[in-house]
Amino acid sequence: ALDEAQIRAACREIRARAIESVAISCVFAPVAPEQERRAGEIVAEELPGVAVTLSSEVGRLGMLQRENAAILNACLRPLGAHVIAGFTAAIRELGLACPLYVSQNDGTLMTAAQAERYPVHTFTSGPTNSMRDWRPSKPGRPSQGCRPRRPRSGRCAVESDLRVWSR
């Protein structure tokens, strides 16, 4: 049985630590998501404005994979919100009247709202990832293909595969 009092106590600790994102993972959530959903509802009630990720919404059957995907998604939510807000502002400033779609890991598209809620589904976005830093070959030379960009400063280089799509 779900211990709602314990979840509320955990929420008090989360609030005291000023945590912005929470991942919830229950062992049997793929086949019986009710407890995970209820835990998410309690966290949303107790901590308005905190981003809540349920493992059953981002992962498949494997417990560890689901749990890791939920944790990663929770960590990426603030960044996802920031990036989507930036793209939305750019579209508005350009005077474009089109919806924003984001490429998912499997190459399909998702809405901006979905990408903001589930950024974990976008950070290795399939076909666009394989085209990163591609350069055509010169006549008589083999293609340079895909190579990761090396940071000039010695810091980690992070690139976005977000694309603006319109119908």
Side-chain angles (χ1 to χ4, degrees):
L2 189 65
D3 187 343
E4 294 190 11
Q6 188 175 7
I7 294 169
R8 291 181 196 286
C11 287
R12 288 189 292 277
E13 186 174 338
I14 290 167
R15 185 181 306 108
R17 293 181 181 205
I19 294 172
E20 298 176 344
S21 296
V22 174
I24 299 173
S25 183
C26 293
V27 175
F28 298 109
V31 293
E34 298 79 20
Q35 286 188 345
E36 193 174 85
R37 286 186 191 139
R38 179 63 188 140
E41 290 169 1
I42 294 168
V43 172
E45 289 169 13
E46 294 288 324
L47 303 168
V50 168
V52 178
T53 297
L54 305 180
S55 72
S56 59
E57 294 178 346
V58 295
R60 302 282 188 258
L61 292 177
M63 172 64 181
L64 290 177
Q65 294 87 345
R66 238 182 339 100
E67 186 173 64
N68 288 336
I71 292 167
L72 186 54
N73 192 75
C75 291
L76 291 170
R77 294 250 335 239
L79 176 63
H82 176 74
V83 170
I84 294 300
F87 273 103
T88 302
I91 289 170
R92 188 175 47 253
E93 288 172 17
L94 290 170
L96 299 174
C98 61
L100 171 62
Y101 292 97
V102 179
S103 179
Q104 293 188 85
N105 298 337
D106 65 1
T108 60
L109 299 178
M110 66 191 324
T111 66
Q114 290 170 318
E116 189 173 337
R117 182 158 173 82
Y118 306 111
V120 73
H121 292 304
T122 68
F123 73 95
T124 60
S125 55
T128 58
N129 221 12
S130 65
M131 305 251 323
R132 180 186 303 164
D133 201 30
W134 180 85
R135 293 180 209 123
S137 61
K138 294 181 180 177
R141 292 189 171 178
S143 173
Q144 294 178 18
C146 299
R147 296 188 308 188
R149 293 186 183 197
R150 290 192 168 78
R152 294 181 191 159
S153 66
R155 294 182 179 165
C156 180
V158 177
E159 294 181 35
S160 171
D161 285 323
L162 298 176
R163 304 289 187 252
V164 176
W165 299 84
S166 64
R167 291 184 201 189

